Amino acid sequence: MSNCTLCDLPTGDDPHTAPDVDGEFCCRGCLAVARSLDDVDDVDDLDERRPEARADEAFDGETTFLHVDGMHCATCESFLELTAGEQEGVAAAEASYATDTIRVDYDPDTVSAADLPERLSVAGYTASDRADPDPDGDDVAVVRFLIGGGLFGMMAMLWYVLFLYPTYFGYEPILDLGGVSGTYLFAQVWVFSSIVLFYTGYPILRGAYVSLRARQPNMDLLVSLAAASSYAYSTLAMLLGRTDLYFDVTIAVILVVTAGNHYESLIKRRATGMLSDLTTAGDRTVRTESGETVAAEAVDPGDRLLVRPGERVPFDGTVAEGTAAVDEALVTGESLPATKREGDEVRGGTVVTDAPVVVEVGEDATSTLDTLVRLLWEIQSSRSGIQRLVDKLATVFVPLVVAVAVLGAAATFALGSAPVDAALVGLTVLIVSCPCALGLATPLAIAAGIRDAARRGIVIVSDAVFEEAADIDTVVLDKTGTLTDGEMRLLDTVTDGASPDEVRRRAAAVERASVHPVAEAIVDAVAADGGSSARDDASAGPETATDGGVTAGDEGDGTRPADAPPDAADGTSTAAVTVSDRGVTGRVDGEEVVVGHRSLFAGAEWTVPASLDAAGETAREAGRVPVFVGWEGSVVGVLVVGDEVRDGWEAVVTDLADGGRRVVVLTGDSAAAARRFEEHPAVDETFAEVPPEAKAETVRRLAATERVAVVGDGSNDAPALAAADLGVSVASGTDLAADAADAVLLEDRLSAIPELFAVTRGTNRRLKQNLGWAFVYNAVAIPMAISGVLNPLLAALAMATSSVLVVTNSARPIYKEE
């Protein structure tokens, strides 16, 4: 048996092929994707970059994924990869600050997985198990800022205001700064400044060290140079008995930049806290065939597990006993439940809906859902976070500023100035280079974008969104749960010889005995129109029978007694209701009513009008479920059940297309269900019947030539969300999809998608405005510093003024600009 050329799944005994496409495929969806995208020029290069391919080719060991707290730029990635590579037993490592994840390939005979977090927790980074990230990182940052900055920083500034600043304006000092009192005062200021620099400023100093170690200058290095230079000069001047000390510059630089970063983190935490209602804890226990509860880790291939209605199938396997409708929407994207009988394969992570089944665990005792989680982590760890624009500029700006400072100081000294005066020129250049404005430009603009997005029910998970979304060329939309609501409902009633109300009423009367999603949709629709409660009546009566090997109840003979009380408020009664995998049969008002699949009416005793057969075929072609209803030997109606498109979807895809973006619909559902979207003029391409493993590959191939955003909701969408340049999850989706996304829409409102792009465009523009102002300021202030017009104090005041302008600009609303 061969594997699919696109997604590497087994193709089975009858693979899908086509004369115009090379390779063999597991399904029509993979074949369609390959036909459309196999002409991508650099797809071979993409294959070489796949993390799983690299691991398979280069390493034969084990792989673990760790969460790392403290990463905030591409330089952090390089440093951690370098650190991990130096550990004995580690073959390779790949980090992503965008997802706070590092993938480590290691030799378990040399180093254990339990030891890796401790070995990688260096230089202020904290590594932990991927499923249990460090909960204390934010608290430590708050304490560091409040104690180091708020307490000791303000104490030092108070001494400056009372004793030092008056002397700068010609006033006599209150204390004898040259005597013992002055020495005591300066010593206190030095201690307070040291705490601010080395405690509060530790993350900034660490970022500077990391940038030097990785040979990638960043803004932390520029901020550290200004703060540390002021501190070093002032310490030396204090020891030499001078009174022109600039510890206040050190404190101001550290506190302003730290405050900006802290504000950004605070806004992020508030926004991501809105996601708490979307996540649920996973259940790691399973139930054996005998009913005993055991840990999932104790299950071996071949074990038989009981899965009851409403529960997830824990592992991939085969139905050993029973028949049930299985909801595969969150794993495969298929909107309609699939009936599984003895011998049929089932995927781990799918949900049994209407009857218990016994599942025999497959050979590997793995779950398709777990496979998707691992694929998600593979992609996340290989997805390098976008280098912030300010850090890109820093790679040029930092060496340039240092060079100008050194040359300015050297030129001043060469022209006959004293060494101290020359050092002051260099220090002034470093201070006036505006590390505060540059350091604030990004966090404040991003915080404003996160704030405005949150007000519209959009949670920004990764701040890379603001620099990625502006360049998106193609938007890939999932169908089930995104363009549609993913919920079964009664959409239409077609009748022949009976009233629609009567057909619905009688169908609901017998469907109450079933918990199949399609049956529930019919019952709920009748209840909404004034009938009896959909589930209350079903739960009140005796159990019903199924034609599978496992009964729906623990007692009873599977039929309702003839003298059963009425089920519906209008007096409709049912008797001897029998449930099968293809429908339900029962007596209503003294007549036998059959509701279900067309095959139930294939016998000679049934008459099926051609108009109803045509209505059923039309429903199937539209990707919906036709439910036939008949009594007294005649089919009298067809109930059409399916999920409904979301309001405003046409306006959304049109808006995206009008913005110059290609719109692609990608779904695991049938081609018939996707046809309505394919026919819309704003949709450029539609891929249907694409399995979960192939969705990420499809996005990867699209991304070979264009920048791609993916909008989805299900666990099956998670790898595709992570593989995209921009992943967007909708609120009704799974926690796995939210974990993979860069942004989450908290409301089931598709119009939030264009709003997200509008906010990101505005934020990106605001960021460039902030940086533009900072660099214009530098272009004027640095020459003034070199010429001696500015001293360190005036440079600090100018720096503060520029920072205030950046703060004011960032405080303005962003979305109103769109």
Side-chain angles (χ1 to χ4, degrees), residues 62 77 154 163 283 290 303 377 468 473 524 582 616 703 807:
E62 294 186 6
E77 297 174 348
M154 292 304 99
F163 303 111
D283 186 3
S290 63
D303 287 354
W377 289 356
E468 290 278 16
D473 303 305
D524 290 344
R582 292 193 172 273
V807 171

Side-chain angles (χ1 to χ4, degrees), residues 6 38 53 107 146 317 352 494 502 532 534 668 709 732 748 796 806:
L6 183 73
D38 251 1
D107 181 359
L146 292 179
V352 173
V494 182
E502 181 69 7
S532 61
S732 57
D748 288 332
V806 168

Side-chain angles (χ1 to χ4, degrees), residues 121-133:
S121 296
V122 296
Y125 298 102
T126 304
S128 59
D129 185 87
R130 179 64 170 80
D132 185 25

Side-chain angles (χ1 to χ4, degrees), residues 170-192:
Y171 294 99
E172 289 295 323
I174 299 176
L175 296 176
D176 180 9
L177 298 180
V180 176
S181 298
T183 301
Y184 178 70
L185 173 67
F186 294 151
Q188 288 189 67
V189 172
W190 178 81
V191 170
F192 297 155

Side-chain angles (χ1 to χ4, degrees), residues 146-168:
L146 292 179
I147 294 180
L151 179 60
F152 292 101
M154 292 304 99
M155 289 172 65
M157 294 306 296
L158 178 61
W159 290 165
Y160 264 92
V161 170
L162 293 177
F163 303 111
L164 294 179
Y165 287 156
T167 65
Y168 295 168

